[in-house]
Each structure stands twice: as C-alpha cells, then as structure tokens.
Amino acid sequence: MSFSTISVIGLGYIGLPTAAMFASRKKNVIGVDVNQHTVDTINRGEIHIVEPDLDMIVHAAVTEGYLKAVTVPESADAFLIAVPTPFKNDINNKNDYSIPEPDISYIKKASEAIALVLKKGDLVILESTSPVGATEQMAEWLADARPDLSFPQVAGENADVNVAHCPERVLPGHVVRELVENDRVIGGMTAKCSARAVELYNTFVQGECVITNARTAEMAKLTENSCRDVQIAFANELSIICDKLDIDVWELISLANRHPRINILQPGPGVGGHCIAVDPWFIISKTPEEAKLIHTAREVNDSKPVWVINKVKIAIADFLLANPDKTAKDITIACYGLAFKPDIDDLRESPALNITNQIAKFHLGKVLAVEPNVKELPNSLAVNIRLTELDTANKNATIGVILVDHKEFKLHSKDFKGIAYIVDTRGIVK
Ligand code: SAJ
C-alpha cells in the first residue's frame, strides 16, 4: 500500500525540511506543530528557521497545496515524529554534576496525540535522536492509547500499525542536499516495519536505505555524533598539550594527517550545536560505568571554553605588565565569531558566544564582537558587547580572540597581525 498522506510531527530543523521534501514529490503532507506561530508562518509559505534553499521549497509546497500545517494531528498513512529530545537537567548549570538524562516526554506527547487518529495499515516512524529503547517505549505508549489496534511488540509481522526508528543525520546548513543524498539507517521493529519505512523514504531519498533493528538504529545515530565528539576532544586535548610544549598544533595535525591512516580533526574553543555536545550523554546516561572514553571526551570539550578564557586573562595580565601606566579599562578585546561553527548564523549552544559573554562579564574595558553572519546581537548577551565590523575591530583591539573560522576571517588573516595579543582557537593566524 502506498502512502498518499504523510504527517510530520514537529516542524523544526528536521521536521520542516523533511515535510517539504515529501511535498516536493507531490505527496499530501500534514505538518503538525504545537506552536501556533510556526503553523501560521508555514501556512503563509514562509519559514521560521534558517536553512539555505528551504524557503523556496516550502513556499512552492504550500502554494501548490501539498503542504499544510496544523496544531492537532489529522489522519494520515504515515507519521514521522521529529520532536526535540532535550535533557531533564539544565546542562548549563555548572553546580549540577549529575549525568544529564534525556527527556523523551515530547515523544510521549506526540505519540499520544497521533494515537487518536491512527488506523490499521499506518506506519509510525521516530526520527528524533533518541536514547536506546525509545522506539520500543513509543510503541508501548501507542498501544496503551489504542487497545483496539495491534502493534509489533505483540503482533510482530501481523501488527495493524508498523513502527520504525530512522534517525536524521543531516548537517545544518546542508539539510536540503543531505536529506536527499545521505544514506538512511532504517530500524524497523519487524522486517515488515523496515520494508514499509524504506518504501516511504524512497519517495525522495537517493542514498541507500540500510535496514537494521530499532535499537541498533538508535545507537547508530548516537555513535556517529559521539565518535565526532571523541575525535574533536582528541584535537582539543592536543591543542592544550601543544600550547604547553610551545608547538603549533595546526602544523602538528597537518603533519600527522599526512600518514595514510591518520585523520585528526581540528581543535576549537569547544563543541557547540544541538547534537554533538548532546547525543553522547544519551549513551553515558544509559551505561555510565562502560562509557568512560565518551564521558571523558565530553568533559574535555566542555572544559575548553574555560581554558580559552584563561588564555584571555593571561593576555590581559601580560599587557598590564608591559604597560604599567595602563589599566584594564584601556584594553579593548575583540572576539571574532559568535556562531557555533563557520559560515552559519546559528548562535544557539555556541561556545564562541558563551566565551564572548563570559569575557564581557569580567572585563572592565570595551568588548567588541565581530560576526559577519548576524545583523544584531541576541538580547541575552551582556550589554557591554558591541557588534563591530571586522576592520574597525582590527584597528581598535588590544587583544583579539579568534573563536570561529569564518571565511571572512580566513580571507583577511593577515589583518590580525597588527593586534598586540592574539588568542587564536582556530589556527587562522599562524
Ligand atoms: N568542530 C570542531 N572541530 C572539528 C569539527 C567540528 O571543533 O574539526 C566543532 C564545530 O565548531 C561545532 C561542533 O564541533 O561547534 C559541531 O559541528 P559539526 O559540524 O561537527 O556538527 P553539527 O552539530 O553541525 O552536525 C552533526 C553532524 N554529525 C556528524 O557529522 C557525525 C550531522 O551529520 C548530524 O545530523 C547532526 O550533528 C545532528 O543533527 O545530529
């Protein structure tokens, strides 16, 4: 049976592009989101998130009538759940040393909402990055809400409703291309569940749909992001070791990477974004005794901003020692880059933003922020930070803190040479 109507629950960074891709293949798509503003924005053919090319696809899908957004689920043949899986505890609370626990209550709410409109023959797919066991848990919630329907955990291949986990794996900034080109991991609760999910994704996925079970699919996604976190932690640890030994870590890494089987990633000011710094905790919280390396990597990456701020404090002290007639008020610190990675405007969960804010809180002089990808600073930032053009910052800075390797900075890397003290977390000023 083919899918004529597809519903996507959660119209965020993954749900909306996914809904738009199905609609672009002329499927009727019902997008569901609890946020009325999001629903209204999409129904006007506009988008509420920043992602290249997505605006055009959503606009076309809405105006051609293939995509509509609603706040309450309606009947469909397939439901894809792409809601957030945050933490129960506040990971920014530095006094809380407990291991962050994933909060899958949004998945529970979404499954209870769709349960009301489920019918025999439907397919339910969990796309949200989830701790191992979440898909089976979701199937239990669905079964509890609909005792009149059978589900795979009891009925196996004969289930009325099929259930699978198919984690999203797209890179922010490249979502539209990667949704189509990337391979998909399809973890059905039975072989039939997997086969139906493959049929659904084949609507627009050109990559290979590789079949496994739900638990392995959940772990595959967590493994990918944990692997990257561990590799970045290795690079970050190397940068701290090299600083102590007076070795240029970027030269070192490029030399080591000439070995045919070595591929070290790049150090930075810490790991940001909504995935790499989050997903490893989903493994650690399930298996705290076993996930030693993954846990240590998280700690190494989370502590890098503190190391960077300390470097800035040392630069301030060095300047004052060399200029006894000056005070801290005479020092202008320019922070280059606020986004969580190069050439994007996404400031959420950004170590660069956090470091700039921390500096502004203790520093008595001026703090300039250079971020070519934004027009204004978020209100949450300390009030004494001024958004400044690159040239002006270069002219006025006593200390330059390079936090993001935006293309503008790499292009003008020679201009940083005039700044008396540089803390370069990205290896731009060699
Ligand atoms: N970073 C470094 N050094 C590096 C590479 C990255 O410090 O060599 C930092 C970045 O500056 C950034 C953070 O890591 O702060 C994360 O950036 P990223 O480009 O590694 O990853 P994300 O968070 O944008 O997207 C990741 C991707 N996962 C992998 O590459 C394994 C993406 O494919 C996932 O779909 C996404 O997480 C997700 O949604 O889970």
Side-chain angles (χ1 to χ4, degrees):
M1 202 176 69
S2 72
F3 303 93
S4 61
T5 304
I6 297 159
S7 183
V8 179
I9 321 297
L11 297 173
Y13 277 82
I14 299 302
L16 181 57
T18 304
M21 293 317 293
F22 281 115
S24 73
R25 300 302 190 272
K26 306 213 180 306
K27 293 285 182 189
N28 290 316
V29 181
I30 303 169
V32 185
D33 201 285
V34 288
N35 187 318
Q36 185 69 50
H37 172 71
T38 300
V39 165
D40 294 341
T41 307
I42 293 165
N43 284 334
R44 284 197 306 272
E46 296 166 11
I47 60 173
H48 61 295
I49 55 176
V50 180
E51 185 58 47
D53 302 330
L54 183 63
D55 50 350
M56 287 180 319
I57 303 173
V58 169
H59 187 261
V62 172
T63 46
E64 287 169 20
Y66 290 107
L67 173 63
K68 72 166 181 177
V70 294
T71 53
V72 179
E74 296 176 9
S75 177
D77 306 314
F79 295 86
L80 287 92
I81 296 182
V83 295
T85 41
F87 291 123
K88 284 182 188 156
N89 16 7
D90 174 10
I91 53 165
N92 296 316
N93 178 359
K94 299 295 170 218
N95 297 321
D96 183 355
Y97 296 104
S98 55
I99 292 173
E101 286 263 345
D103 171 6
I104 59 170
S105 63
Y106 291 94
I107 300 176
K108 184 168 192 266
K109 283 196 192 95
S111 20
E112 286 167 353
I114 63 167
L116 300 174
V117 293
L118 273 186
K119 59 183 186 321
K120 191 172 175 176
D122 284 354
L123 169 67
V124 180
I125 292 180
L126 179 61
E127 277 219 7
S128 311
T129 303
S130 301
V132 171
T135 309
E136 290 156 359
Q137 173 65 76
M138 181 184 77
E140 288 297 333
W141 286 323
L142 292 172
D144 288 348
R146 290 298 301 270
D148 56 317
L149 292 170
S150 65
F151 290 83
Q153 62 271 34
V154 171
E157 299 290 16
N158 298 321
D160 291 334
V161 177
N162 289 308
V163 178
H165 180 60
C166 307
E168 61 81 12
R169 306 153 95 193
V170 287
L171 195 66
H174 301 266
V175 167
V176 171
R177 182 177 53 78
E178 290 210 350
L179 268 178
V180 174
E181 291 179 1
N182 288 5
D183 292 344
R184 293 299 293 232
V185 174
I186 309 275
M189 284 182 68
T190 65
K192 190 173 166 199
C193 296
S194 298
R196 295 214 68 218
V198 171
E199 187 193 340
L200 178 69
Y201 283 104
N202 276 340
T203 309
F204 67 82
V205 171
Q206 288 169 9
E208 195 179 333
C209 291
V210 188
I211 290 174
T212 179
N213 57 43
R215 293 174 78 83
T216 310
E218 288 160 347
M219 190 63 180
K221 169 63 196 249
L222 303 179
T223 299
E224 290 159 14
N225 282 352
S226 300
C227 175
R228 197 151 167 87
D229 198 43
V230 170
Q231 289 181 349
I232 298 169
F234 182 70
N236 276 333
E237 185 164 294
L238 271 183
S239 73
I240 295 171
I241 294 169
C242 285
D243 183 70
K244 198 153 202 176
L245 300 179
D246 199 18
I247 290 168
D248 178 338
V249 69
W250 288 278
E251 184 193 359
L252 173 85
I253 289 173
S254 83
L255 291 172
N257 281 350
R258 283 172 178 262
H259 185 288
R261 284 173 296 283
I262 300 297
N263 188 12
I264 303 168
L265 292 181
Q266 298 299 307
V271 170
H274 335 292
C275 313
I276 308 267
V278 172
D279 299 354
W281 290 117
F282 288 19
I283 298 179
I284 301 162
S285 66
K286 277 255 180 229
T287 50
E289 293 301 320
E290 293 77 13
K292 292 192 182 72
L293 178 64
I294 299 173
H295 196 164
T296 303
R298 267 297 61 246
E299 287 171 346
V300 168
N301 287 333
D302 266 357
S303 63
K304 189 74 191 285
V306 179
W307 185 85
V308 175
I309 291 167
N310 205 33
K311 281 273 149 198
V312 175
K313 288 181 178 166
I314 292 169
I316 294 172
D318 285 351
F319 174 85
L320 293 176
L321 207 63
N323 300 276
D325 54 322
K326 305 268 190 211
T327 70
K329 275 193 176 164
D330 300 312
I331 298 173
T332 297
I333 301 178
C335 296
Y336 295 88
L338 296 174
F340 89 82
K341 63 180 195 174
D343 307 323
I344 59 166
D345 63 355
D346 195 342
L347 308 186
R348 295 167 311 153
E349 321 297 340
S350 168
L353 187 85
N354 170 28
I355 289 168
T356 306
N357 211 19
Q358 296 301 323
I359 291 171
K361 280 184 187 162
F362 73 75
H363 183 51
L364 300 172
K366 286 187 188 141
V367 177
L368 311 177
V370 185
E371 179 43 79
N373 300 297
V374 303
K375 292 197 175 62
E376 56 187 37
L377 294 175
N379 292 335
S380 57
L381 272 195
V383 285
N384 55 332
I385 303 172
R386 199 145 40 88
L387 191 61
T388 311
E389 295 294 320
L390 180 59
D391 286 356
T392 317
N394 286 347
K395 270 185 214 124
N396 291 293
T398 326
I399 299 171
V401 190
I402 302 174
L403 296 167
V404 188
D405 43 346
H406 287 314
K407 59 179 182 314
E408 292 84 352
F409 303 161
K410 289 196 272 193
L411 201 66
H412 299 286
S413 63
K414 286 199 176 70
D415 299 355
F416 292 116
K417 295 257 160 74
I419 302 173
Y421 296 83
I422 291 274
V423 177
D424 183 5
T425 72
R426 295 290 187 177
I428 287 182
V429 185
K430 293 274 166 22

